Amino acid sequence: KEVINIKYSQIPDEKTIVKCADGSIYEADHVIITVSLGVLKAQHNNLFSPALSDKKISVIENYAYGTVGKIFLDFEEIFWEEHEAFAFLWLEEELNELKSSDKKWLAGIAGFYNFDSFPNSLEGFVSGEHIEIFEEISDEKLITDCMWLFEKFLNRNLTKPRAMKRTNWKSNRHFQGSYSNLNMGMEKLNFKPHDLAEPVRKLDGNAFLHF
C-alpha cells in the first residue's frame, strides 16, 4: 500500500503510526523506509510527523538525484556485429540543429549496446535535460527517432524493430528518478551517504525508523 504519513515518537514503548492512502492505519514497533531518494525529496515534509532531524533533511535535500532512462529495441534482423556498441559523436553545427528540432531528446542518448542474453536486442541509455521528453513521447515517435539516428550515422536504410520497451523512472511518482550520487554540495556540508541511512532512535537508544 502507499503510505502517506508516518507518525512517530522517540519515547520508549510508544508505537509508530503508519497511515496509508486507502485510509487504513497500522501500529508498528519498527518501520523500514524503502522509498527512493526522489520520493523523500518530494514528500519528506508531509511523510513524517514530526519532521525528521535538520541533519537528515539537509542530507535528503542536498544529495544529488537524477534519471538515466533505458530503451530496449528488439529486431527481427540484426545490423551489428557481436559485442559491437554504438556511440554518437556530433558535429557542433548538427548538434545545435538537433537541439532545436522535435528530436532534441536524442542528444541525451549516450549509446546503444547489445548483450548475450538477448542477441537480437539493443539497449540504449538516455540522460540529461530532455529525459522528460523521452518518457512522454509516443512509442511510435520514439522508435522513429531512434531509427533516424541509426540511419543517419550508419548511412543506410534499416528495418524498424519488432518490439520496444522503455523505462519511466522520472515520471513514476513512486520513484521520481533512478540514480543518486554525491556532489560538491554534500562535500561542502561534510555529509556522507550513511547519514541518510542512519536510523531514528528512541530516547533509550533503540532504533525504530530504519532507512
Side-chain angles (χ1 to χ4, degrees):
K1 295 183 178 183
E2 180 181 358
V3 172
I4 59 174
N5 185 254
I6 299 169
K7 184 177 181 181
Y8 68 93
S9 169
Q10 292 180 279
I11 298 175
D13 298 327
E14 285 201 9
K15 301 286 188 180
T16 298
I17 309 300
V18 178
K19 185 177 181 180
C20 299
D22 65 359
S24 58
I25 296 175
Y26 299 88
E27 292 187 352
D29 296 312
H30 295 269
V31 175
I32 301 173
I33 296 131
T34 63
V35 296
S36 71
L37 179 59
V39 172
L40 286 177
K41 282 179 175 291
Q43 300 183 26
H44 73 82
N45 285 327
N46 299 317
L47 188 57
F48 298 95
S49 302
L52 297 171
S53 67
D54 290 344
K55 181 176 183 179
K56 194 171 287 291
I57 289 175
S58 189
V59 174
I60 291 170
E61 293 181 346
N62 287 284
Y63 210 123
Y65 188 67
T67 306
V68 174
K70 293 184 179 183
I71 319 167
F72 300 92
L73 301 174
D74 186 70
F75 294 86
E76 188 73 40
E77 297 181 3
I78 64 175
F79 53 86
W80 59 89
E81 301 295 330
E82 186 177 6
H83 304 304
E84 184 177 26
F86 298 96
F88 307 100
L89 182 63
W90 293 87
L91 295 173
E92 184 175 2
E93 180 181 346
E94 290 189 328
L95 183 59
N96 290 335
E97 184 179 339
L98 175 71
K99 289 181 176 179
S100 63
S101 74
D102 64 350
K103 299 182 181 68
K104 58 186 176 182
W105 72 273
L106 290 172
I109 291 184
F112 278 89
Y113 310 88
N114 62 60
F115 37 100
D116 294 338
S117 54
F118 294 93
N120 282 60
S121 297
L122 291 174
E123 177 185 20
F125 290 82
V126 185
S127 62
E129 59 182 324
H130 302 308
I131 193 71
E132 291 89 352
I133 299 176
F134 158 72
E135 294 191 357
E136 291 172 358
I137 60 176
S138 68
D139 290 355
E140 181 60 31
K141 178 166 175 52
L142 188 147
I143 293 171
T144 299
D145 287 358
C146 286
M147 297 313 297
W148 175 87
L149 182 67
F150 280 123
E151 291 179 348
K152 174 180 176 59
F153 277 86
L154 296 177
N155 196 30
R156 57 192 171 100
N157 295 326
L158 299 169
T159 303
K160 284 187 176 183
R162 59 189 176 185
M164 183 278 295
K165 287 187 178 293
R166 61 174 144 173
T167 59
N168 64 342
W169 298 116
K170 178 71 174 178
S171 55
N172 187 321
R173 66 190 184 91
H174 294 303
F175 293 93
Q176 302 186 37
S178 55
Y179 288 95
S180 59
N181 62 280
L182 293 173
N183 58 14
M184 294 301 291
M186 289 284 287
E187 293 293 331
K188 184 177 179 180
L189 294 169
N190 198 31
F191 291 145
K192 303 299 179 185
H194 64 255
D195 290 326
L196 181 56
E198 181 68 22
V200 177
R201 300 179 182 276
K202 297 285 189 180
L203 296 176
D204 59 8
N206 290 322
F208 69 102
L209 286 186
H210 308 271
F211 289 81

